[in-house]
Amino acid sequence: QRQMCIRDRYRDGNIYVLIKQEQEKIFKFNVDILIHFGNFYEIKKVKIDDKEVLLNFKAEYKPKFIDIDPYGWLLIANISREDIDNLIEIVENGITSISKIRAIRGLYKIYNYRVIKALEKAMKEKFWGVRAEAAKALGTIKTEDSLNILINSLNDEEPKVRREIIKSIGEFKNDKSVKLLQDYLRNAKTYYEIYECLISLAKQEKKELIELLKEYLNFKSHDEIVRIGAIKALSEFKDKN
C-alpha cells in the first residue's frame, strides 16, 4: 500500500509540493493535487514516477490549503504531513469526506486548541464516517474540552458513531468518565453499545466495577455480544492481576 509524506510551501508566486513515497516498493501513478484558495479551487493532475517528486505550480495568491487525492481514487494507506494548519483547513473545508477523514488521522494526539475546535466541528459533519473518525481523534487528545465534546455528542443518531464515542471516553480513565460510562450502560440503545461500555469500563482499572461487569455475564443478546463483552472486560482485570 502507498504511504506518502507531503510538504508544501508558497514563495514568490510559486507553490512547491514535495511528495515522498515512504513504502519500500516505489509506485508510478497519476494523482490529483487540489489547490484551494478559499473562494475557489483548482485540481492539477500530475504523474508520480519516483520516490521523491517536487512539483511547482504558478499561483498569484497563497493557497488556503493543499490536498492530495481528494476523491480517494488511490489506495493510499497513509498520508503524513507536518503542517497542522493545512490539516485543520482540510478538516474544516475539504471537498470530500475521505479528505477530511485522512486529515483527522493526522491530528491524533495533538494538544492544540484549534485542533480540538476543528474536531468539534467535524462531530457535526453530515457523513457519519467523519464524525466517527473525529471521535477517535478526540480520544487520543484527552483534555477536559475533548471529553466534553464527546459527551455532548452521545446523542448522535448513528450507532457506529456512538460506539466510537464510548470507546474514546474509555481512554480518559477519570471519575467523570467512569460515572458517565456507568450511566450510559444502563441506557444504551444497542447491544454493541453495551459491549463497548463494558470494555471501556474495564479500562478504568477500578476493582469496584467488577461486580457491575459480572451482572452482564447472563445478559442475553444477539450473537451473545454482551456476554462476550463482559467476559473480555473481566479478563482485563485478571490479566492485570
Side-chain angles (χ1 to χ4, degrees):
Q1 288 185 310
R2 298 177 178 89
Q3 299 183 44
M4 299 195 301
C5 178
I6 311 297
R7 293 185 177 88
D8 61 76
R9 66 175 178 172
Y10 177 80
R11 188 176 66 184
D12 300 329
N14 291 279
I15 300 170
Y16 299 97
V17 181
L18 176 65
I19 299 179
K20 179 180 178 181
Q21 298 189 61
E22 297 188 313
Q23 74 283 344
E24 185 174 346
K25 180 181 178 181
I26 303 304
F27 294 95
K28 294 183 179 181
F29 55 92
N30 296 319
V31 66
D32 292 337
I33 309 289
L34 181 142
I35 304 172
H36 206 297
F37 293 96
N39 295 326
F40 68 98
Y41 63 83
E42 300 174 358
I43 293 181
K44 309 287 188 179
K45 295 184 180 293
V46 300
K47 184 175 183 178
I48 306 300
D49 56 7
D50 205 346
K51 184 175 181 64
E52 291 190 18
V53 175
L54 179 62
L55 305 170
N56 175 218
F57 307 105
K58 295 290 184 181
E60 186 176 352
Y61 310 102
K62 181 180 179 180
K64 193 168 186 179
F65 66 87
I66 293 173
D67 197 6
I68 308 298
D69 187 35
Y71 296 105
W73 301 121
L74 300 176
L75 295 176
I76 302 175
N78 182 54
I79 299 178
S80 63
R81 45 197 318 162
E82 298 174 352
D83 188 351
I84 295 173
D85 289 338
N86 199 99
L87 291 171
I88 291 172
E89 289 291 348
I90 296 173
V91 172
E92 294 182 338
N93 302 297
I95 66 169
T96 66
S97 294
I98 191 168
S99 281
K100 294 182 179 184
I101 289 171
R102 283 176 177 165
I104 289 170
R105 289 173 181 165
L107 298 175
Y108 278 30
K109 298 183 180 180
I110 295 179
Y111 295 77
N112 177 294
Y113 178 75
R114 284 194 63 212
V115 169
I116 293 173
K117 295 303 291 184
L119 294 174
E120 181 177 26
K121 182 177 178 180
M123 290 300 299
K124 299 178 177 64
E125 279 284 332
K126 184 175 181 180
F127 177 50
W128 69 265
V130 176
R131 304 198 303 275
E133 197 63 44
K136 291 181 187 178
L138 287 164
T140 71
I141 296 175
K142 301 179 186 177
T143 66
E144 186 70 18
D145 286 339
S146 58
L147 178 57
N148 287 334
I149 293 168
L150 289 166
I151 293 171
N152 293 335
S153 302
L154 269 172
N155 61 349
D156 195 285
E157 63 183 19
E158 173 54 54
K160 295 184 183 70
V161 176
R162 296 198 300 271
R163 285 164 56 188
E164 291 300 336
I165 292 172
I166 293 165
K167 288 164 69 174
S168 285
I169 290 173
E171 298 297 325
F172 285 79
K173 301 180 183 179
N174 57 34
D175 291 340
K176 188 173 183 178
S177 63
V178 171
K179 186 179 186 308
L180 189 138
L181 290 167
Q182 285 177 297
D183 292 343
Y184 196 86
L185 181 62
R186 301 185 186 96
N187 300 291
K189 298 177 182 179
T190 69
Y191 294 139
Y192 286 93
E193 287 174 77
I194 296 174
Y195 171 91
E196 297 297 352
C197 261
L198 294 171
I199 301 302
S200 288
L201 281 167
K203 290 181 179 179
Q204 308 308 299
E205 300 179 2
K206 292 184 177 293
K207 290 184 178 180
E208 58 266 32
L209 294 173
I210 290 177
E211 292 304 315
L212 173 61
L213 299 177
K214 285 182 178 179
E215 293 178 15
Y216 288 83
L217 289 172
N218 297 314
F219 194 105
K220 294 182 179 180
S221 61
H222 177 68
D223 286 341
E224 301 291 359
I225 189 63
V226 173
R227 288 179 180 174
I228 291 171
I231 292 169
K232 185 175 180 180
L234 289 166
S235 70
E236 290 282 326
F237 285 95
K238 184 177 180 180
D239 292 342
K240 290 184 174 73
N241 296 309

